Amino acid sequence: MASNNFNEVAGGVFPVGVDDGHFGIKVVAGPGRSFVMPARAWAGKLLTAQFNDSQAADNVYETADGEFVTITANDVAAPAVDTRSADYPTSSVNRALVAHALIEAGVAGHQVSIVTGLPVDRFYVRGSKNIELIEAKKSSLLRPLSRPVGSDGLPHLATVVEHAVISEAVAAFLDAQLDFDGNEDPEFSEISEVMPVAVVDVGGKTTDIAVVREGGAGLYSEKSGTAEVGALYLYDQLDRRLREAFQLKEEVPFAYRKRAIETGSYMLYGKKHDVSKMVAEALDDFAVQVGHEVSKRLKDASIFGRTLFVGGGARLLASRCGQVFPGVPAEGIWIPDEPEFANARGMYKAAHASLSQR
């Protein structure tokens, strides 16, 4: 984050948006204050020998009596659970990841009001809010946890005093609609008042598709839904390709796959290999997969005032919009700056609006 001068709105409580997805934990605490951390953790206590014997492991959390979670977000060789499970939103792993991301983002020591999200098909069930899951997720992140104290004797945790849950794709709509002070964008408001707005949110586990009704009054349920295809499947695909190409027996570490996607090179035994063609082919396959799901839901995008393309997948596939949105002209698709933070920004704006109304 750029600063620790957070935007206090009401009574010493700070609004924070937390997009606690299956691929990464994204935190937004105001303009210019965003942070992302891989959603990688191990359900249990992993002991690591420290060079400095007096250094306490600050990545181990006790999430319940005798129950531990170790954050392995930046550890190449450490194990991690697969977050693509149905219980992830209410799990101890999720709770520890969010707590650690808030600390790494610089929010430790503050009282925070957070907003998180759920995919469309988990937030809604047959057109109605999934109250049971929403309340379970709200309660989960309000439960206390602990970690080793620092050298000053303090645990340096953020205190979550409030937690609200919204639909992830709706968060992206809010991000486009409002600025950081809660003022409406005139152009977007004019369009969204009289035309539906489609949101395509390609995350880690899923692609969330939501069509927001005119005036932001709700969703067109028959056009909205969630498909089980996301960036983690791209990573799985790339792992398979790398293992075949280099005759590897073990899974390629997550960090190495991430670097290959970002740079087009893969380092094996200290030697760089050009894998840009392999990465491009994997991205093409991923774009076609997402495009198939988009076409099933949205069909003719000409009825939408805007089609918002957001999530980490939007950054990965920005140059492949023709495959994701076949037949839709470039002016029909809008990718915001830093599209991977669109949900977290919308969640921050929702938290800010809630506190400002007091």
Side-chain angles (χ1 to χ4, degrees), residues 239-251:
D239 175 63
R240 178 181 58 78
R241 291 170 184 260
L242 287 169
R243 289 169 69 177
E244 287 178 359
F246 294 99
Q247 298 182 325
L248 305 173
K249 293 181 179 179
E250 294 189 9
E251 180 181 273

Side-chain angles (χ1 to χ4, degrees), residues 308-321:
L308 305 180
F309 190 23
V310 301
R315 179 179 285 278
L316 290 168
L317 301 176
S319 64
R320 292 170 167 80
C321 284

Side-chain angles (χ1 to χ4, degrees), residues 35 82 127 133 199 209-210 242 245:
F35 171 82
D82 190 336
L133 178 57
V199 180
I209 300 169
L242 287 169

